Amino acid sequence: LAGIPFLGEVPASVVTVVAAAVTVVLGIAGRPIIENAMAGIVLSSSKLVNLGDTVKMGDIYGSVEDITPTHTTIKVWDWRRFVVPNATMIQSSLYNYSLVDRFIWSKIDFWVSYEADLDRVREEAIRIAEESRFFSGREPPECWAMEMGERGVLLWLAAWADTPSEGWMLTHDVRMRLTARLRELGVLPHLIYHR
């Protein structure tokens, strides 16, 4: 801008070269901003990610709290915020739990010994999940035997919750109550070897 008064004295070829050099430098320096702004437009217009959606990107799992032209803020369960550039959101694999439905499938896994009555354990686990105040009631909970290990059987208990925070509370509530109930029934978490 300071050189504008002297443009008449400078050859046009020099002005063109300087303008081209400044444009290249500004383009290189502004590339991340422009890239993130364009990615923000794509995110906003595509509706692949919306405010309040529950997402998982790499190790980050939380809800989308804010989408700006340059970045997206994800709030995780312990109230930390991850600020992710929009270009990274577009270029990375992103799992959106809320793309179709807002409710979430919560599961816990636990081991029981081979001596346990698996049918009884399964019934108790399902009953405890159904009685939890965090269970949404969308579909009945289910319990599966997933693996037979050296010392016991791995069971999965899955139930639906309405939101990610209720899903977390559902798993916590079920673990606490199931642990107490298995203790009452005398069910060991795995076979204990006596010498």
Side-chain angles (χ1 to χ4, degrees), residues 53-72:
D53 283 359
T54 302
V55 296
K56 184 173 192 300
M57 192 175 87
D59 293 335
I60 302 170
Y61 172 79
S63 59
V64 176
E65 187 175 61
D66 190 23
I67 302 173
T68 71
T70 58
H71 66 273
T72 299

Side-chain angles (χ1 to χ4, degrees), residues 83-117:
V83 178
V84 182
N86 286 337
T88 304
M89 293 283 289
I90 293 288
Q91 295 167 0
S92 300
S93 295
L94 175 78
Y95 192 86
N96 188 340
Y97 292 93
S98 306
L99 193 56
V100 178
D101 298 312
R102 291 225 175 258
F103 53 91
I104 189 163
W105 188 64
S106 301
K107 82 167 181 66
I108 64 167
D109 52 352
F110 59 101
W111 290 88
V112 296
S113 72
Y114 283 111
E115 296 172 348
D117 179 351

Side-chain angles (χ1 to χ4, degrees), residues 9 25 37 39 43 52 54 86 91 129 131 141 150 171 182 184 187:
E9 301 172 14
V25 169
L43 277 175
T54 302
N86 286 337
Q91 295 167 0
E131 291 175 356
E150 181 181 332
T171 58
L182 292 178
E184 288 173 7
V187 175

Side-chain angles (χ1 to χ4, degrees), residues 3-11:
I4 289 177
F6 305 105
L7 284 179
E9 301 172 14
V10 179

Side-chain angles (χ1 to χ4, degrees), residues 92-160:
S92 300
S93 295
L94 175 78
Y95 192 86
N96 188 340
Y97 292 93
S98 306
L99 193 56
V100 178
D101 298 312
R102 291 225 175 258
F103 53 91
I104 189 163
W105 188 64
S106 301
K107 82 167 181 66
I108 64 167
D109 52 352
F110 59 101
W111 290 88
V112 296
S113 72
Y114 283 111
E115 296 172 348
D117 179 351
L118 293 182
D119 289 330
R120 179 75 188 273
V121 170
R122 181 177 180 277
E123 288 172 12
E124 290 294 324
I126 290 172
R127 183 186 58 75
I128 287 170
E130 286 175 334
E131 291 175 356
S132 174
R133 66 186 175 107
F134 302 104
F135 171 57
S136 73
R138 293 185 187 279
E139 292 178 8
E142 190 54 73
C143 186
W144 300 280
M146 298 303 290
E147 182 180 330
M148 297 171 62
E150 181 181 332
R151 295 183 174 196
V153 179
L154 174 66
L155 298 175
W156 274 14
L157 174 65
W160 291 101

